[in-house]
Structure formats: structure tokens, C-alpha cells
Amino acid sequence: MTLWYSHVLDAFHVPTHRRCASRWYARCPAHDDRSPSLAIWLGRNGDRLLVGCWAGCNKRDVLQQAGLKMKD
């Protein structure tokens, strides 16, 4: 079964099964990230995928570096 957001996780090189609690973690492509500081999680209704870098990188920069856009 392919999840609707699997292409986004693929862009960040995160296997869909590697989930920690309700989030996935990856290395942020917008800065020299040595340990996973990018969190990816489903929104409240499960219809959106949210991303946030704990180092403070701009979301648009993070997505651009991964080859994604906000609509993805």
C-alpha cells in the first residue's frame, strides 16, 4: 500500500516505516546536519504533512533543497 505522502518522505530519504512516536526524523538538507534535526509529521486531520527544522531553517528552503514545493 502506497501512502499519499510517501513521495515526500522519499525526498528526505526517510523510510515510511521508520516512525518515532508520531513523527519521522531526517537530516535537514538546508544546512550541514550531522544528526536528524528535521521533523516530519501528519497534521491534526491527517490530510497534511508538516515539516520543521529544529535548527531553525526556513521551511521553503528545506523543501527546495529536497526538490519539493509547499503544495507537495
Side-chain angles (χ1 to χ4, degrees):
M1 179 174 125
T2 303
L3 302 171
W4 64 266
Y5 50 81
S6 62
H7 71 287
V8 174
L9 295 179
D10 288 345
F12 292 111
H13 309 289
V14 178
T16 56
H17 68 276
R18 295 206 69 198
R19 196 167 161 174
C20 180
S22 62
R23 297 179 184 207
W24 293 270
Y25 291 94
R27 290 186 175 156
C28 178
H31 74 275
D32 184 22
D33 199 359
R34 297 181 191 273
S35 63
S37 64
L38 183 71
I40 305 164
W41 66 99
L42 289 170
R44 287 186 189 168
N45 297 330
D47 61 347
R48 294 180 186 194
L49 201 60
L50 306 171
V51 298
C53 176
W54 295 111
C57 293
N58 179 286
K59 286 178 176 53
R60 290 189 192 276
D61 293 341
V62 171
L63 295 173
Q64 182 180 20
Q65 290 296 319
L68 299 168
K69 295 180 182 182
M70 292 294 271
K71 66 180 178 180
D72 291 321

